[in-house]
Amino acid sequence: MNLIQRLFPIFQWLPAYKKADLNGDLFAGLTVGVMLIPQGMAYALIAGLPPVYGLYASIVPQIIYALLGTSRQLSVAPVAMDSLLVAAGVSVLATEGSDSYIAFAILIAFFMGAFQLLLGVFRLGFITNLLSKPVISGFTSAAALIIGFNQLKYLLGTDIAKSNRFYEVVINSARQIDETHVITLIIGIAAIVLIKSLKSLNKNIPGALIAVIVGTVIVYSLRLDDVGVSIVQNIPQGLPSMQLPDFSLGQFGKVLPLAFTISVVAFMEAFSVAKAVEAKRRDHKVIPNQELIGLGAANLIGSLFQSYPVTGGFSRTAVNHQAGANTPLASIVSAVIVALTVIFLTSLFYFLPHAILAAIIMVAVSNLFDLTYAKKLWRESKKEFLVLLFTFLVTLNIGMVIGIVTGIILSILLFLYRAAYPHIARLGRIKGHHEFRNVTRFNNLETWEGLVIIRIDAPLSFINIQEIKDYIQRLLNMEPKTREIIIDAGPVSHLDATAADGLHTLLEELNQKGVRLVFCDVIGPVRDAMKQTGLTKTIGKENLFLSLSEAVENALTNAKDPYKKVTLQTNVKA
């Protein structure tokens, strides 16, 4: 693969394009394009933007990603979660619906693309690993509730103030419940039932578009707008013009952190769904850093054509895959469908009720609320469940950006906690064999009074060396007759300078007590670190062994007073 092919993956799949792939790409492109028309307008509504900006964001970004992205089926356009993040951030900078509000949303897309491009160019895609699955699940579940409840304004036909805090939305909705516009509510509920019914019949049926058509025809035929049903009204016709974002808006202290947060969240969302499809197709490889470049270019160049932040969507990509998309040509076809709609068909959406768009959003985000994963974590890992729960609650009641940052911090703290308190196993020899196992998990193991064998299942670093020293000290206090400690260092993958200093101190303390410290099965990088820090000399080459069996045999053979063998009978743990 040459440089051009790496930078522009289109030159990998286009020269090898097969005629047999065309039907699948055309059908998938048409299906997703039809799906994107109502979906794009609905997601623009979440972001607080006029519906046409959802269509603008579904044209250029798709084409750019098709040129630069490595996934063959990922559909890049507006998504619900990023739209809500835009609304949450921009609402404190400008009044919803104003020109400056729209300009800020486009400016965020520009900086979001710039951040993703930089992360990809400098191969920093690993930074997204800070978003663990519990954090993502807690965040998306909270976002689903916030997005869904914010649509009550359109579903009930009342003037409910939007908020990115769940409790405020609930309170605002309760205060306006007596002003519900019954006809609007009926339209919205009927649309939800219609979309879900069609989806249950066949996932390939464009339920959202059918709901849009039916709802628009009914409102137009009965002139329900005259009795208070809120409609979209005029949607500008024609393709978006090319223009630079408005950098004179300033507020970069708020815009840049928001753009960076959305860039990371958006990449995680796109990359996870792209990898899921890759695992099913197995005819291409999704490359993380190139994905960042593809998504970054899609957002940056898209912002020049009045696009707000976009990323790969779960539902659209699934439909694209199921409809038979074989290459990114399907996304180009989708973009053409949306472009033709913007040029010729926007007038048809004049009587489209906002309640239909709200219904589309509610059905779409209902799949983001993942109670099954929360139950799974509760059974398997209480600590990670608490990370999910805390992220969920903070996102739900304080703010989305604060919620995801809180989740990241908690994940890091949990990781540091586990690193600070590593698993240390007390080992014994299986009777009649040369294998050693954890004495708390296996029975019929041989141990020796005065000889302690332990295995440290973690790198030795500044964060855990004190805990390891304390463990050995507690062991000596419990077993004062200990004369020799053997450390199985096979699982130790790293040794830093602080840990080396700690081992120097430990060796001095043990020498004073007449206790020999032996290491075995030390891997190359750790041996190098021992040599560089002078630890090899302090330990002594006579106390370094290639295998645990060799170390134990040496201890048993050379002991001045023979170690008394003890056979342990313990209950086996799962």
Side-chain angles (χ1 to χ4, degrees):
M1 188 188 301
N2 59 40
L3 180 61
I4 296 297
Q5 288 178 319
R6 285 200 302 270
L7 293 176
F8 297 91
I10 187 174
F11 292 116
Q12 296 176 34
W13 59 266
L14 189 58
Y17 195 83
K18 300 174 184 177
K19 188 178 180 180
D21 293 335
L22 186 59
N23 286 339
D25 285 340
L26 289 176
F27 181 72
L30 178 62
T31 303
V32 174
V34 167
M35 177 184 183
L36 255 176
I37 295 165
Q39 195 181 72
M41 291 191 290
Y43 290 162
L45 208 64
I46 296 176
L49 298 167
V52 73
Y53 285 89
L55 299 178
Y56 291 164
S58 303
I59 302 173
V60 174
Q62 285 202 93
I63 296 171
I64 299 301
Y65 179 80
L67 300 177
L68 298 172
T70 56
S71 173
R72 303 284 174 90
Q73 287 80 31
L74 189 68
S75 176
V76 174
V79 297
M81 191 156 48
D82 293 354
S83 296
L84 184 60
L85 279 170
V86 169
V90 179
S91 61
V92 300
L93 301 174
T95 304
E96 184 177 321
S98 65
D99 290 342
S100 58
Y101 187 98
I102 296 170
F104 269 120
I106 294 170
L107 185 63
I108 287 170
F110 178 87
F111 284 118
M112 172 185 170
F115 281 129
Q116 289 177 328
L117 269 174
L118 288 173
L119 289 172
V121 168
F122 290 103
R123 307 183 68 80
L124 298 175
F126 68 87
I127 196 171
T128 57
N129 294 335
L130 293 173
L131 285 172
S132 64
K133 190 171 181 180
V135 172
I136 295 170
S137 181
F139 174 74
T140 53
S141 295
L145 285 176
I146 295 169
I147 293 168
F149 273 77
N150 266 306
Q151 300 316 302
L152 289 176
K153 171 180 180 177
Y154 304 105
L155 196 71
L156 301 178
T158 60
D159 189 20
I160 300 172
K162 284 187 176 182
S163 175
N164 66 333
R165 295 182 177 91
F166 181 72
Y167 70 90
E168 290 181 353
V169 179
V170 173
I171 293 171
N172 294 339
S173 301
R175 287 173 178 169
Q176 300 291 328
I177 194 73
D178 57 337
E179 297 181 15
T180 299
H181 191 266
V182 177
I183 297 176
T184 299
L185 180 61
I186 292 172
I187 291 172
I189 292 175
I192 292 173
V193 173
L194 177 62
I195 295 169
K196 291 190 76 68
S197 299
L198 291 173
K199 187 176 181 181
S200 64
L201 287 174
N202 190 328
K203 291 182 179 180
N204 292 326
I205 296 176
L209 185 64
I210 292 172
V212 165
I213 294 170
V214 173
T216 302
V217 170
I218 289 174
V219 171
Y220 172 73
S221 301
L222 302 178
R223 294 313 302 255
L224 296 180
D225 56 311
D226 291 337
V227 294
V229 174
S230 175
I231 58 175
V232 170
Q233 298 184 17
N234 288 317
I235 296 178
Q237 198 166 28
L239 295 173
S241 59
M242 181 178 178
Q243 59 188 53
L244 285 173
D246 189 355
F247 297 104
S248 66
L249 291 167
Q251 300 279 359
F252 293 129
K254 294 179 179 178
V255 169
L256 293 177
L258 178 63
F260 183 75
T261 301
I262 299 176
S263 69
V264 174
V265 172
F267 173 66
M268 280 298 302
E269 193 172 355
F271 185 66
S272 59
V273 70
K275 289 297 287 185
V277 176
E278 176 203 53
K280 293 177 181 178
R281 296 296 293 252
R282 297 183 181 178
D283 58 353
H284 65 281
K285 185 170 179 60
V286 177
I287 303 171
N289 291 307
Q290 184 61 34
E291 282 297 285
L292 277 166
I293 292 172
L295 289 169
N299 278 290
L300 194 150
I301 297 174
S303 71
L304 303 180
F305 294 89
Q306 302 178 54
S307 168
Y308 77 98
V310 299
T311 190
F314 290 96
S315 58
R316 282 193 312 272
T317 302
V319 169
N320 201 32
H321 167 62
Q322 291 164 5
N326 297 301
T327 72
L329 180 62
S331 290
I332 296 174
V333 173
S334 298
V336 170
I337 297 296
V338 177
L340 291 174
T341 301
V342 172
I343 295 171
F344 300 110
L345 304 177
T346 54
S347 60
L348 298 179
F349 299 108
Y350 183 93
F351 289 97
L352 171 61
H354 282 114
I356 297 290
L357 295 179
I360 293 169
I361 293 167
M362 286 181 161
V363 172
V365 301
S366 63
N367 297 321
L368 294 177
F369 191 82
D370 194 354
L371 187 60
T372 303
Y373 182 66
K375 291 179 179 178
K376 180 175 180 287
L377 273 188
W378 174 254
R379 293 192 304 268
E380 298 176 1
S381 175
K382 297 293 192 296
K383 290 186 179 71
E384 288 183 284
F385 172 80
L386 290 175
V387 171
L388 183 153
L389 181 63
F390 207 79
T391 303
F392 174 79
L393 293 174
V394 172
T395 302
L396 200 65
N397 296 300
I398 298 178
M400 299 189 72
V401 176
I402 295 174
I404 202 163
V405 170
T406 300
I408 290 172
I409 292 172
L410 284 175
S411 293
I412 293 172
L413 289 176
L414 179 59
F415 172 78
L416 293 176
Y417 175 82
R418 287 172 172 165
Y421 296 94
H423 180 255
I424 302 175
R426 182 80 177 269
L427 304 182
R429 187 168 64 186
I430 298 174
K431 196 170 184 179
H433 296 79
H434 295 288
E435 299 295 324
F436 293 79
R437 292 293 183 268
N438 189 336
V439 298
T440 63
R441 294 181 179 274
F442 291 81
N443 58 15
N444 203 29
L445 297 178
E446 296 176 339
T447 63
W448 297 267
E449 189 177 275
L451 175 62
V452 173
I453 309 167
I454 62 175
R455 187 188 69 229
I456 301 173
D457 296 329
L460 299 182
S461 65
F462 68 95
I463 199 169
N464 62 20
I465 188 60
Q466 188 58 50
E467 171 61 20
I468 292 167
K469 289 168 63 179
D470 291 344
Y471 175 90
I472 292 175
Q473 186 57 55
R474 290 193 298 270
L475 190 151
L476 293 175
N477 292 337
M478 292 171 61
E479 301 180 33
K481 293 182 180 180
T482 299
R483 288 182 279 149
E484 184 168 341
I485 298 173
I486 299 175
I487 295 179
D488 179 1
V492 177
S493 59
H494 175 70
L495 173 71
D496 68 15
T498 304
D501 288 340
L503 289 177
H504 276 291
T505 304
L506 177 63
L507 283 161
E508 291 175 4
E509 294 172 355
L510 293 179
N511 284 336
Q512 291 174 3
K513 295 177 180 180
V515 177
R516 181 189 182 196
L517 184 63
V518 172
F519 288 83
C520 66
D521 203 18
V522 183
I523 67 171
V526 177
R527 288 200 306 271
D528 294 341
M530 284 181 167
K531 186 175 181 180
Q532 290 167 359
T533 57
L535 197 55
T536 301
K537 185 176 180 181
T538 304
I539 295 171
K541 291 185 178 180
E542 69 279 7
N543 294 322
L544 291 169
F545 294 89
L546 292 177
S547 69
L548 181 54
S549 290
E550 185 182 342
V552 171
E553 287 304 319
N554 177 270
L556 297 177
T557 303
N558 296 326
K560 294 180 180 178
D561 297 320
Y563 291 111
K564 181 182 178 182
K565 184 185 294 186
V566 180
T567 300
L568 295 178
Q569 296 289 342
T570 60
N571 293 324
V572 179
K573 289 187 178 181

